Amino acid sequence: MGQSKIDSLSQLIENEKSPSEKAQLQLKRGVLLSKNQGEKGFKDLESALSFFTQNKDNKGETDSYIAYGNLYFMYGDPKRASHYDSIAIKLAEKISYKKGRAVAIGNLGREFITFGNFNKAEKLIQQAISLEEKFNPQDANRLAELYSRYNIIEGSQGNYLKSLELIEKAIEFSETAKDDKQLSLLYTNYAITLSRLSKFDEAVEVHFKVMRLCEKMKDTLGLLRVYNNLGIAFRSGGESDKAITYYKKSIALAKTTNSYKSLGLSLVNLATVYVKKEQLDAVDTLYTQGIQYFEIASDTGGIAFANHNYGNFLLLTKNYAEADKRLQVAYNLRKQIGAELAAANSLSVLGKSAMDQEKWKEAEEYLLTAEPIYKGKSRDNRNLKELYGYLKELYIEKGNFEKALNYQTQELELEKTIFTENEKVNALKAETAYDLEKRDLEMVIQKEEEQLARQRLLLGGGSVVLILLLISLSLWLRRRQLKERHQAHITNLGQQHRLNLTKSLKDSEQQERKKIANKLHDEAGSMLSIAILNLKQVQGDVFNEGSNAGQKLETTQKLLVDISDSVRLISHSLMPVALEKYGLKAAIHDLANAVNTSQKLKVEEIFEGLDDTDSWGEEFCLTVYRIVQEAINNIIKHAQATHVLLQIVELEESVTIYIEDNGRGMDTNAKKDGIGLKMLKRNVEYLNGTIEINGNANKGTFILAELPIEKKDNDN
C-alpha cells in the first residue's frame, strides 16, 4: 500500500506543470520513502526547500522544515528532528502560518517524548491540541495523532486512567477519519495501556484486532510490529513461551522483508525473555545479531537500546569488561541523540558495574552524573530510587556514613512515594474493572429496553383495547423487573468492587510495609551500628583526658543509640521482623520480652500449640500479632497494671487469645469504644472472629477472642 502511494505520487510529480505544486508533492513523497531509500527522500526535500526559498514562499519553506523533522525522526535521529521543527515554529510565527505552527509544535512534543522530558512534551502537545481544535474544519487524523502522543506521556508517568481516556478519544477521531493505518497504530497504544492496567487478556484481543487490520491493508511492517507487541504483552503477562512464539514470528517475517530495525528489536526482546527463563546458551548471539541489524538500519536509538540490554546481561554474568564496553556505547549514543533519561539509566548501570569491581571513584563519578538528570526530569521514581540505593552502598563502602544516611533517607522517601503510587494503581485497576463490567451490564440492559420498545411499536396498531392494556401491563411489569435486576447487578458489582479494592490495597500495604521494615531493620540499623562502633573507637583512641570533645562525642554516641532504637521500633511497628523470620509464636514472645525489659509491667506467657504455623495464612498471622500488640498497648497506656496474663491456645480449627491484667479496670459509665478498642474489634471482625471485653473498676480487665484459622491458598 505504501509503495503504491509512492508510485502514484511519482506519476503526479512527473506530470505536474506547476513548480509550486510539484515541490509540495516532493515533500509528501520524501517522507514516505523507506530508510533504504533515504538518499532519494532527502533529495526530494532539498529540491522542494530550494524552490520555496528561491521564490520566497515562506509557507512552503515552513512545510519543508516540518518534512525534514519528520524524516529525521523516522530515521531515529530526534535531536536533528527537533532542530528543524524549532526552525519551522519560528518561521510559522513570523508569517502567522497557524497550521504550520500547530503541526511543528505537536512534532516537537513528539521529540521531547523521545528525550524523556515529559513535562515539556506535555505542554507542547496540549498547546498543539488547543490550536488544532480551533481550526474549522478540524483535521481528525492530526487530532488522533496528538491525543495518541498525549496518551504516551500520561502512561509513561503512571497516569493510566487519563491515558486510557486519551487513547479512546484518539480512536474516536481516527474512526471518523477512517484511516486504517492510523487506527492500527492507535489500537496498538490502546493495547499497551490495557497491559499497564494488567488487563493482559483484553490487550491481546486488541493486538489481534490490529493484526486483522494489518492483514487487510497488507501492511507487513504493521504485522511485524504487532507480532513484537504480542510478544511483549505475553511476556508482561508471565507467559514466556507464547512471547517467544510471537517474537520468532516477527523475526521470520522481518527476514523475508529485510526489515532490519524490526529484526533488531525482536532479537533483543527474544534474548531478554531467554534471560528471564535462565536459558542463556543463545543469548550472546541474539544480542550481537540484534545490534548488527540495528547498525544495518542505521538506527542510533536501536543500537543504544540493544547495547544497554546486552550490557545489563553481561553484568549479571560478571563479564565486566565487555559489559562496561557495551554500556559505554549505549551511553554515548543516547547522549548523542538527546535521550537524556535513557543515557542516565546507562550511567547508573555503569556505576553499579564499577561498584561490583570495587572501582569506587569511577562508580561515584557515574552515579553523581546520573543523579541530576533523573531529578531534573522528575519522571521515574523507581530508577531514581535504585540510583539512591547504589549511592548509599557506595558511601558505606567509602566510610562516608553521613552521605550514606542522606541517600538512605532519600531512598526511603521515594519508597513511600512509590508505595502511594502502587496504592493508586491498584485502586485504578479495581476501578477500571468495575467501570468496564458496569458499562457492559448497562449495554445489555439498554439492548433489552430497546427490544421492549420495538415490541411496543409493533403492538401500537392493535385494535383490541383490552389485549393492548394487558400486554402493556405485562411489558410494564417486565420493565420493572429489568430495572430491579439492573439495580441488583449494579449493587452487587459495587459491593464486589469495594471488597476487591479493600483486599488489593491491604495486600499492597502489607507488601510495602514489609519492604520498608526490612530496609529500616537491615540497612539503616546496620549503618547506625557501624557509626556507633566507629565513634566508640574514636573516643577510645583520640581524645585526651579532660577534653570536652570526649563529652561531645559521648553525647553524639548516645544520640545515635537513640536513633538506632527508634529505627528498630519503627521497623517493628511497620512489620515485625521476627514474625517473618521465625514465625508467630516467636514474634509474640519477642513482643512480651520487649515489654518485660521495661520492668514496669510483667507479661506472663502461656502458649498451647502454635509450634507449626507454616500452613497458616500470612495475613492471618499478622492480624493475630496485631491483636495481641494492640491489647498490650492499651494496657500500657490506660490500665496502670503491673501484671498481664497472656494465654494463646491453638484448637483444631481456631485460636483463642485470653489477656487479663490487674489494672484499674473499666469505668462502666464511660464510653467503652475508644480508638484502641475499635482497632482491636475491627481486627477481630476482619478475621470473622468473636471478642469479649469486660472488667470492673479496680479489678482489672480481661479480653477473650476466638479466631477461625485461615490456611494458605494451595494455589499460591
Side-chain angles (χ1 to χ4, degrees):
M1 191 177 209
Q3 187 57 48
S4 63
K5 194 169 183 179
I6 292 169
D7 293 340
S8 175
L9 282 169
S10 298
Q11 189 65 44
L12 289 171
I13 290 168
E14 189 177 332
N15 297 330
E16 184 57 57
K17 303 300 180 186
S18 165
S20 178
E21 288 297 323
K22 185 174 182 178
Q24 286 288 352
L25 290 169
Q26 284 177 317
L27 290 182
K28 290 180 181 178
R29 184 176 69 178
V31 296
L32 287 175
L33 291 165
S34 61
K35 198 165 185 180
N36 56 4
Q37 297 175 295
E39 193 174 336
K40 290 181 181 178
F42 280 112
K43 279 184 179 178
D44 271 348
L45 301 193
E46 286 167 13
S47 175
L49 178 59
S50 176
F51 170 81
F52 291 129
T53 304
Q54 288 173 9
N55 289 274
K56 298 181 180 179
D57 183 342
N58 295 133
K59 280 190 176 182
E61 196 176 344
T62 304
D63 290 337
S64 299
Y65 289 131
I66 290 170
Y68 266 107
N70 283 329
L71 202 59
Y72 275 116
F73 186 82
M74 186 173 71
Y75 290 177
D77 194 343
K79 196 169 184 179
R80 283 196 185 181
S82 67
H83 168 71
Y84 282 104
D85 282 322
S86 297
I87 294 173
I89 291 169
K90 289 177 183 175
L91 185 55
E93 286 174 346
K94 182 180 176 182
I95 62 173
S96 299
Y97 179 19
K98 293 181 180 178
K99 181 64 179 177
R101 180 169 173 262
V103 171
I105 288 171
N107 286 357
L108 189 60
R110 169 190 66 186
E111 277 104 55
F112 274 101
I113 291 171
T114 306
F115 300 151
N117 191 337
F118 290 93
N119 294 330
K120 181 68 174 174
E122 186 170 11
K123 289 176 184 175
L124 288 165
I125 296 298
Q126 286 176 339
Q127 188 181 359
I129 289 172
S130 177
L131 292 169
E132 288 285 350
E133 287 182 337
K134 290 174 184 173
F135 293 134
N136 189 15
Q138 290 181 342
D139 185 338
N141 278 337
R142 183 64 184 167
L143 281 166
E145 190 173 33
L146 289 170
Y147 275 110
S148 178
R149 290 173 188 170
Y150 201 176
N151 150 263
I152 293 169
I153 294 167
E154 294 300 327
S156 298
Q157 296 184 106
N159 302 325
Y160 299 135
L161 185 58
K162 188 171 183 181
S163 177
L164 190 67
E165 291 172 358
L166 290 167
I167 196 61
E168 285 176 345
K169 194 162 187 177
I171 289 169
E172 283 178 23
F173 276 115
S174 190
E175 286 174 340
T176 303
K178 296 181 180 178
D179 183 338
D180 284 346
K181 187 172 183 64
Q182 186 183 58
L183 196 57
S184 71
L185 293 171
L186 298 181
Y187 276 132
T188 298
N189 282 353
Y190 184 38
I192 291 168
T193 305
L194 290 170
S195 290
R196 283 173 171 156
L197 287 163
S198 299
K199 300 181 77 64
F200 299 113
D201 291 342
E202 289 183 36
V204 168
E205 283 181 23
V206 176
H207 280 310
F208 279 122
K209 191 171 184 177
V210 176
M211 188 188 298
R212 288 191 291 273
L213 276 171
C214 292
E215 287 168 348
K216 172 187 168 186
M217 296 183 292
K218 297 181 180 177
D219 180 4
T220 306
L221 288 176
L223 275 174
L224 285 170
R225 191 166 46 246
V226 77
Y227 286 153
N228 192 60
N229 285 329
L230 277 165
I232 293 169
F234 281 122
R235 185 182 74 193
S236 300
E239 299 189 51
S240 297
D241 291 335
K242 285 185 179 179
I244 289 169
T245 298
Y246 280 98
Y247 285 141
K248 286 182 175 178
K249 280 189 175 187
S250 179
I251 291 165
L253 184 58
K255 283 181 177 177
T256 62
T257 57
N258 293 328
S259 301
Y260 300 119
K261 180 176 178 178
S262 295
L263 258 173
L265 184 62
S266 296
L267 285 165
V268 171
N269 282 338
L270 182 60
T272 304
V273 177
Y274 280 132
V275 171
K276 185 178 179 182
K277 285 172 66 72
E278 299 183 355
Q279 297 176 3
L280 307 181
D281 293 344
V283 168
D284 280 292
T285 303
L286 290 170
Y287 278 126
T288 305
Q289 287 179 348
I291 292 167
Q292 289 170 351
Y293 282 120
F294 277 126
E295 287 172 344
I296 294 170
S298 301
D299 187 325
T300 307
I303 297 168
F305 165 75
N307 273 285
H308 178 89
N309 280 274
Y310 192 16
N312 249 328
F313 163 68
L314 291 166
L315 189 58
L316 289 174
T317 59
K318 302 188 185 305
N319 186 349
Y320 297 117
E322 188 64 22
D324 290 346
K325 176 184 169 185
R326 298 292 179 179
L327 290 165
Q328 193 66 54
V329 169
Y331 168 69
N332 291 336
L333 291 175
R334 285 171 164 177
K335 191 176 178 183
Q336 176 187 319
I337 63 174
E340 294 179 37
L341 276 174
N345 197 12
S346 295
L347 277 176
S348 182
V349 182
L350 276 165
K352 177 66 169 65
S353 175
M355 285 172 60
D356 287 351
Q357 299 172 70
E358 299 185 358
K359 297 178 180 178
W360 309 115
K361 187 176 180 181
E362 283 183 31
E364 187 174 29
E365 288 175 3
Y366 286 133
L367 297 174
L368 290 180
T369 305
E371 183 184 9
I373 301 172
Y374 278 130
K375 292 177 77 171
K377 302 303 176 186
S378 65
R379 167 201 168 226
D380 196 330
N381 285 329
R382 286 169 177 78
N383 278 349
L384 183 57
K385 187 184 83 68
E386 187 176 72
L387 180 74
Y388 284 152
Y390 293 157
L391 283 164
K392 174 195 67 183
E393 292 171 20
L394 172 72
Y395 286 118
I396 289 173
E397 291 293 341
K398 294 188 74 171
N400 190 334
F401 297 109
E402 183 181 352
K403 283 189 176 181
L405 191 58
N406 175 48
Y407 283 112
Q408 170 77 43
T409 303
Q410 293 187 73
E411 185 185 18
L412 285 173
E413 284 300 317
L414 281 179
E415 187 91 51
K416 293 175 188 174
T417 303
I418 292 167
F419 171 52
T420 305
E421 289 172 356
N422 287 343
E423 282 188 319
K424 289 178 181 176
V425 170
N426 287 329
L428 176 60
K429 288 175 183 176
E431 193 71 42
T432 305
Y434 170 65
D435 288 342
L436 289 171
E437 289 175 31
K438 185 176 177 181
R439 190 193 308 169
D440 291 342
L441 179 61
E442 286 173 344
M443 286 175 65
V444 171
I445 299 297
Q446 185 181 352
K447 284 181 181 178
E448 292 190 12
E449 288 180 347
E450 287 173 357
Q451 186 177 356
L452 286 172
R454 284 195 295 272
Q455 290 175 2
R456 284 198 297 272
L457 285 172
L458 289 172
L459 292 168
S463 57
V464 182
V465 176
L466 182 58
I467 295 174
L468 187 58
L469 286 172
L470 288 172
I471 292 174
S472 296
L473 179 61
S474 173
L475 291 172
W476 178 81
L477 288 170
R478 186 176 174 190
R479 181 183 178 86
R480 183 177 172 184
Q481 288 173 345
L482 282 171
K483 282 185 176 179
E484 289 174 354
R485 189 171 63 190
H486 169 63
Q487 189 59 46
H489 276 298
I490 295 296
T491 302
N492 185 52
L493 278 173
Q495 291 171 345
Q496 189 62 43
H497 161 62
R498 285 191 292 274
L499 287 171
N500 290 340
L501 184 58
T502 302
K503 188 177 186 305
S504 174
L505 293 179
K506 191 169 182 68
D507 290 346
S508 174
E509 180 183 9
Q510 185 175 329
Q511 291 303 315
E512 293 302 322
R513 277 174 174 266
K514 187 185 294 184
K515 287 180 189 174
I516 297 170
N518 284 334
K519 284 183 179 293
L520 279 169
H521 182 271
D522 297 338
E523 296 181 17
S526 64
M527 286 166 56
L528 287 166
S529 298
I530 293 167
I532 293 166
L533 180 62
N534 284 337
L535 284 173
K536 286 180 179 177
Q537 288 176 337
V538 170
Q539 187 178 27
D541 298 342
V542 175
F543 295 105
N544 297 323
E545 187 177 352
S547 168
N548 66 348
Q551 185 179 355
K552 290 179 182 177
L553 192 60
E554 186 177 345
T555 303
T556 305
Q557 184 178 313
K558 184 177 182 303
L559 181 61
L560 281 171
V561 171
D562 291 343
I563 294 170
S564 181
D565 290 341
S566 296
V567 167
R568 183 176 58 79
L569 287 171
I570 293 168
S571 168
H572 201 74
S573 67
L574 284 168
M575 176 64 66
V577 177
L579 179 63
E580 186 181 2
K581 291 186 176 179
Y582 308 114
L584 179 60
K585 187 173 181 179
I588 294 174
H589 180 65
D590 188 46
L591 175 64
N593 277 345
V595 176
N596 288 334
T597 303
S598 69
Q599 297 183 346
K600 293 180 180 179
L601 179 66
K602 170 66 177 175
V603 179
E604 180 185 347
E605 305 165 70
I606 299 175
F607 292 102
E608 293 184 25
L610 275 73
D611 296 314
D612 181 12
T613 59
D614 290 345
S615 63
W616 294 8
E618 185 178 347
E619 191 175 340
F620 176 78
C621 290
L622 177 60
T623 307
V624 170
Y625 177 88
R626 293 292 187 214
I627 290 168
V628 175
Q629 184 184 47
E630 189 61 41
I632 291 176
N633 283 344
N634 283 339
I635 292 169
I636 293 169
K637 288 178 184 177
H638 308 296
Q640 298 177 5
T642 59
H643 184 273
V644 174
L645 173 64
L646 168 62
Q647 182 175 14
I648 304 178
V649 179
E650 178 186 353
L651 303 174
E652 189 173 345
E653 298 293 336
S654 64
V655 170
T656 62
I657 302 170
Y658 180 79
I659 303 172
E660 183 179 4
D661 68 69
N662 65 346
R664 64 180 185 176
M666 296 175 66
D667 185 350
T668 54
N669 296 319
K671 184 180 178 182
K672 289 187 178 181
D673 282 356
I675 293 173
L677 291 182
K678 282 181 179 177
M679 286 287 293
L680 197 61
K681 289 179 178 179
R682 195 173 295 129
N683 277 321
V684 172
E685 288 170 2
Y686 182 76
L687 294 180
N688 297 316
T690 58
I691 185 168
E692 181 183 353
I693 303 173
N694 212 335
N696 296 313
N698 301 316
K699 292 185 179 180
T701 306
F702 76 83
I703 298 169
L704 177 62
E706 184 170 2
L707 311 165
I709 296 171
E710 289 185 4
K711 302 286 188 177
K712 284 182 180 175
D713 189 347
N714 292 328
D715 295 334
N716 291 339

